[in-house]
Short mmCIF file of all heavy atoms in Angstrom, two decimals:
data_model
loop_
_atom_site.label_atom_id
_atom_site.label_comp_id
_atom_site.label_asym_id
_atom_site.label_seq_id
_atom_site.Cartn_x
_atom_site.Cartn_y
_atom_site.Cartn_z
N LEU A 1 103.06 98.37 76.67
CA LEU A 1 103.89 97.29 77.21
C LEU A 1 104.98 97.09 76.10
O LEU A 1 104.66 96.63 75.00
CB LEU A 1 103.15 96.03 77.39
CG LEU A 1 103.93 94.87 77.97
CD1 LEU A 1 104.37 95.18 79.40
CD2 LEU A 1 103.16 93.58 77.87
N GLN A 2 106.19 97.56 76.45
CA GLN A 2 107.34 97.39 75.54
C GLN A 2 108.06 96.06 75.87
O GLN A 2 108.51 95.96 77.08
CB GLN A 2 108.26 98.54 75.59
CG GLN A 2 109.50 98.48 74.66
CD GLN A 2 109.09 98.49 73.16
OE1 GLN A 2 108.47 99.48 72.72
NE2 GLN A 2 109.49 97.45 72.45
N MET A 3 108.18 95.18 74.97
CA MET A 3 108.80 93.84 75.23
C MET A 3 110.12 93.73 74.39
O MET A 3 110.10 93.82 73.22
CB MET A 3 107.83 92.72 74.90
CG MET A 3 106.48 92.90 75.54
SD MET A 3 105.36 91.53 75.19
CE MET A 3 105.12 91.69 73.44
N TYR A 4 111.17 93.42 75.13
CA TYR A 4 112.48 93.16 74.54
C TYR A 4 112.95 91.74 74.81
O TYR A 4 112.54 91.07 75.71
CB TYR A 4 113.53 94.16 75.09
CG TYR A 4 113.25 95.58 74.84
CD1 TYR A 4 112.68 96.41 75.84
CD2 TYR A 4 113.56 96.17 73.60
CE1 TYR A 4 112.47 97.76 75.63
CE2 TYR A 4 113.32 97.55 73.41
CZ TYR A 4 112.72 98.33 74.40
OH TYR A 4 112.50 99.68 74.19
N ASP A 5 113.85 91.30 74.01
CA ASP A 5 114.51 89.97 74.18
C ASP A 5 113.43 88.87 74.37
O ASP A 5 113.48 88.13 75.36
CB ASP A 5 115.45 89.99 75.34
CG ASP A 5 116.33 88.77 75.47
OD1 ASP A 5 116.51 88.09 74.38
OD2 ASP A 5 116.83 88.40 76.57
N LEU A 6 112.50 88.87 73.46
CA LEU A 6 111.40 87.91 73.64
C LEU A 6 111.87 86.50 73.56
O LEU A 6 112.74 86.17 72.74
CB LEU A 6 110.32 88.18 72.56
CG LEU A 6 109.49 89.44 72.84
CD1 LEU A 6 108.82 89.93 71.59
CD2 LEU A 6 108.46 89.14 73.92
N LYS A 7 111.25 85.56 74.24
CA LYS A 7 111.52 84.18 74.30
C LYS A 7 110.29 83.34 73.93
O LYS A 7 109.20 83.83 74.06
CB LYS A 7 111.99 83.81 75.75
CG LYS A 7 113.17 84.66 76.28
CD LYS A 7 113.50 84.27 77.70
CE LYS A 7 114.61 85.17 78.24
NZ LYS A 7 115.85 85.02 77.47
N PRO A 8 110.56 82.16 73.44
CA PRO A 8 109.35 81.29 73.10
C PRO A 8 108.31 81.19 74.19
O PRO A 8 107.12 81.08 73.92
CB PRO A 8 110.01 79.99 72.73
CG PRO A 8 111.32 80.30 72.22
CD PRO A 8 111.79 81.47 73.11
N GLU A 9 108.77 81.12 75.48
CA GLU A 9 107.80 81.02 76.57
C GLU A 9 106.95 82.30 76.76
O GLU A 9 106.03 82.29 77.56
CB GLU A 9 108.51 80.63 77.86
CG GLU A 9 109.72 81.62 78.24
CD GLU A 9 111.06 81.06 77.75
OE1 GLU A 9 111.11 80.45 76.65
OE2 GLU A 9 112.00 81.21 78.50
N ASP A 10 107.31 83.38 76.08
CA ASP A 10 106.46 84.59 76.11
C ASP A 10 105.27 84.47 75.19
O ASP A 10 104.36 85.31 75.18
CB ASP A 10 107.25 85.85 75.73
CG ASP A 10 108.36 86.15 76.71
OD1 ASP A 10 108.14 86.05 77.90
OD2 ASP A 10 109.46 86.53 76.23
N THR A 11 105.18 83.47 74.37
CA THR A 11 104.11 83.26 73.48
C THR A 11 102.76 83.12 74.27
O THR A 11 102.65 82.28 75.12
CB THR A 11 104.29 81.98 72.60
OG1 THR A 11 105.42 82.25 71.74
CG2 THR A 11 103.08 81.64 71.79
N ALA A 12 101.79 83.93 73.94
CA ALA A 12 100.57 83.98 74.70
C ALA A 12 99.60 85.05 74.08
O ALA A 12 100.06 85.87 73.23
CB ALA A 12 100.78 84.36 76.18
N THR A 13 98.37 84.99 74.48
CA THR A 13 97.44 86.07 74.24
C THR A 13 97.63 87.11 75.38
O THR A 13 97.53 86.70 76.57
CB THR A 13 96.02 85.61 74.12
OG1 THR A 13 95.90 84.70 73.05
CG2 THR A 13 95.08 86.80 73.84
N TYR A 14 97.86 88.34 75.02
CA TYR A 14 98.10 89.35 76.08
C TYR A 14 96.86 90.23 76.22
O TYR A 14 96.32 90.73 75.23
CB TYR A 14 99.31 90.22 75.68
CG TYR A 14 100.67 89.54 75.87
CD1 TYR A 14 101.09 88.45 75.13
CD2 TYR A 14 101.51 89.99 76.90
CE1 TYR A 14 102.20 87.81 75.37
CE2 TYR A 14 102.68 89.33 77.16
CZ TYR A 14 103.04 88.26 76.37
OH TYR A 14 104.27 87.63 76.62
N TYR A 15 96.49 90.40 77.48
CA TYR A 15 95.29 91.19 77.79
C TYR A 15 95.58 92.42 78.66
O TYR A 15 96.38 92.37 79.61
CB TYR A 15 94.28 90.25 78.60
CG TYR A 15 93.79 89.09 77.86
CD1 TYR A 15 94.43 87.84 77.96
CD2 TYR A 15 92.65 89.17 77.03
CE1 TYR A 15 93.97 86.75 77.30
CE2 TYR A 15 92.16 88.10 76.40
CZ TYR A 15 92.82 86.83 76.50
OH TYR A 15 92.40 85.71 75.86
N CYS A 16 94.99 93.48 78.27
CA CYS A 16 95.05 94.71 79.08
C CYS A 16 93.88 94.78 80.05
O CYS A 16 92.79 94.37 79.71
CB CYS A 16 95.05 95.91 78.07
SG CYS A 16 95.09 97.50 78.90
N ALA A 17 94.14 95.31 81.22
CA ALA A 17 93.08 95.38 82.26
C ALA A 17 93.12 96.70 83.01
O ALA A 17 94.23 97.25 83.21
CB ALA A 17 93.18 94.24 83.23
N ALA A 18 92.00 97.18 83.40
CA ALA A 18 91.91 98.47 84.16
C ALA A 18 91.18 98.27 85.43
O ALA A 18 90.15 97.52 85.51
CB ALA A 18 91.16 99.54 83.29
N SER A 19 91.66 98.88 86.49
CA SER A 19 90.99 98.87 87.77
C SER A 19 90.36 100.24 88.03
O SER A 19 91.06 101.29 87.88
CB SER A 19 92.02 98.56 88.92
OG SER A 19 91.39 98.71 90.17
N TRP A 20 89.15 100.26 88.44
CA TRP A 20 88.44 101.52 88.72
C TRP A 20 88.33 101.77 90.17
O TRP A 20 87.62 102.67 90.61
CB TRP A 20 87.12 101.50 88.10
CG TRP A 20 87.13 101.18 86.62
CD1 TRP A 20 86.71 100.05 86.01
CD2 TRP A 20 87.71 101.98 85.61
NE1 TRP A 20 86.92 100.01 84.61
CE2 TRP A 20 87.54 101.28 84.35
CE3 TRP A 20 88.32 103.23 85.54
CZ2 TRP A 20 88.02 101.81 83.12
CZ3 TRP A 20 88.79 103.73 84.33
CH2 TRP A 20 88.62 103.01 83.15
N ARG A 21 89.08 100.98 91.02
CA ARG A 21 89.05 101.16 92.44
C ARG A 21 90.35 101.44 93.11
O ARG A 21 90.46 101.84 94.22
CB ARG A 21 88.46 99.87 93.03
CG ARG A 21 87.06 99.57 92.71
CD ARG A 21 86.44 98.55 93.69
NE ARG A 21 87.02 97.22 93.49
CZ ARG A 21 86.52 96.23 92.77
NH1 ARG A 21 85.29 96.50 92.13
NH2 ARG A 21 87.04 95.09 92.64
N MET A 22 91.46 101.26 92.34
CA MET A 22 92.79 101.37 92.87
C MET A 22 93.65 102.35 92.09
O MET A 22 93.53 102.43 90.89
CB MET A 22 93.49 100.02 93.02
CG MET A 22 92.78 99.04 93.77
SD MET A 22 93.77 97.51 93.89
CE MET A 22 93.98 97.16 92.12
N ALA A 23 94.56 103.05 92.83
CA ALA A 23 95.63 103.79 92.14
C ALA A 23 96.95 102.99 92.15
O ALA A 23 97.73 103.11 91.23
CB ALA A 23 95.83 105.17 92.90
N GLY A 24 97.19 102.19 93.23
CA GLY A 24 98.36 101.40 93.28
C GLY A 24 98.29 100.12 92.49
O GLY A 24 97.22 99.69 92.07
N THR A 25 99.47 99.48 92.27
CA THR A 25 99.48 98.34 91.43
C THR A 25 98.93 97.08 92.13
O THR A 25 98.94 97.03 93.40
CB THR A 25 100.95 98.01 90.97
OG1 THR A 25 101.74 97.79 92.16
CG2 THR A 25 101.48 99.21 90.21
N SER A 26 98.51 96.15 91.36
CA SER A 26 98.08 94.82 91.88
C SER A 26 98.40 93.75 90.93
O SER A 26 98.50 93.99 89.69
CB SER A 26 96.50 94.89 92.06
OG SER A 26 96.03 93.54 92.41
N ARG A 27 98.60 92.54 91.46
CA ARG A 27 98.92 91.37 90.60
C ARG A 27 97.67 90.45 90.49
O ARG A 27 97.74 89.41 89.74
CB ARG A 27 100.08 90.56 91.14
CG ARG A 27 101.40 91.28 91.14
CD ARG A 27 102.53 90.39 91.61
NE ARG A 27 103.82 91.05 91.46
CZ ARG A 27 104.96 90.45 91.64
NH1 ARG A 27 105.02 89.20 91.91
NH2 ARG A 27 106.13 91.11 91.44
N SER A 28 96.60 90.82 91.10
CA SER A 28 95.42 89.95 91.15
C SER A 28 94.43 90.36 90.08
O SER A 28 94.00 91.52 90.01
CB SER A 28 94.83 90.15 92.51
OG SER A 28 93.55 89.39 92.55
N ALA A 29 94.09 89.38 89.23
CA ALA A 29 93.02 89.67 88.16
C ALA A 29 91.78 90.14 88.71
O ALA A 29 91.05 90.93 88.04
CB ALA A 29 92.89 88.41 87.31
N GLY A 30 91.42 89.71 89.92
CA GLY A 30 90.14 90.14 90.50
C GLY A 30 90.04 91.58 90.90
O GLY A 30 88.94 92.10 91.09
N ASP A 31 91.21 92.27 90.86
CA ASP A 31 91.21 93.71 91.19
C ASP A 31 90.89 94.53 89.96
O ASP A 31 90.86 95.78 90.11
CB ASP A 31 92.55 94.12 91.78
CG ASP A 31 92.70 93.69 93.25
OD1 ASP A 31 91.66 93.50 93.95
OD2 ASP A 31 93.84 93.50 93.65
N PHE A 32 90.76 93.93 88.81
CA PHE A 32 90.58 94.67 87.58
C PHE A 32 89.23 94.34 87.03
O PHE A 32 88.83 93.16 86.88
CB PHE A 32 91.69 94.29 86.57
CG PHE A 32 93.05 94.69 87.08
CD1 PHE A 32 93.78 93.89 87.83
CD2 PHE A 32 93.54 95.99 86.79
CE1 PHE A 32 95.02 94.25 88.33
CE2 PHE A 32 94.79 96.37 87.25
CZ PHE A 32 95.52 95.53 88.03
N GLN A 33 88.51 95.36 86.61
CA GLN A 33 87.09 95.29 86.29
C GLN A 33 86.88 95.30 84.73
O GLN A 33 85.88 94.77 84.25
CB GLN A 33 86.27 96.36 86.90
CG GLN A 33 86.16 96.30 88.36
CD GLN A 33 87.37 96.82 89.09
OE1 GLN A 33 87.87 97.84 88.83
NE2 GLN A 33 87.96 95.91 89.94
N SER A 34 87.75 95.94 83.97
CA SER A 34 87.60 96.11 82.51
C SER A 34 88.75 95.40 81.86
O SER A 34 89.91 95.56 82.25
CB SER A 34 87.54 97.50 82.10
OG SER A 34 86.37 98.16 82.63
N TRP A 35 88.43 94.62 80.77
CA TRP A 35 89.41 93.83 80.03
C TRP A 35 89.27 94.05 78.53
O TRP A 35 88.19 94.15 78.05
CB TRP A 35 89.29 92.36 80.38
CG TRP A 35 89.56 92.03 81.79
CD1 TRP A 35 88.73 92.24 82.89
CD2 TRP A 35 90.81 91.46 82.29
NE1 TRP A 35 89.38 91.82 84.08
CE2 TRP A 35 90.64 91.35 83.75
CE3 TRP A 35 91.98 91.04 81.72
CZ2 TRP A 35 91.61 90.82 84.57
CZ3 TRP A 35 92.96 90.49 82.52
CH2 TRP A 35 92.80 90.40 83.93
#
């Protein structure tokens, strides 16, 4: 994840997640099994 032009509102803990059931993208945390 390459982040440019960072803003104060970007302040957070960032988590990586993997889905073992899908090839396509998803915005739902429930679709990802490993964190």
Side-chain angles (χ1 to χ4, degrees):
L1 184 69
Q2 180 67 58
M3 307 184 294
Y4 299 100
D5 191 25
L6 285 162
K7 305 177 183 298
E9 54 263 41
D10 295 319
T11 294
T13 301
Y14 284 70
Y15 298 93
C16 178
S19 173
W20 307 111
R21 295 195 291 263
M22 302 183 304
T25 61
S26 173
R27 295 184 174 189
S28 176
D31 286 332
F32 297 87
Q33 294 77 54
S34 297
W35 295 78

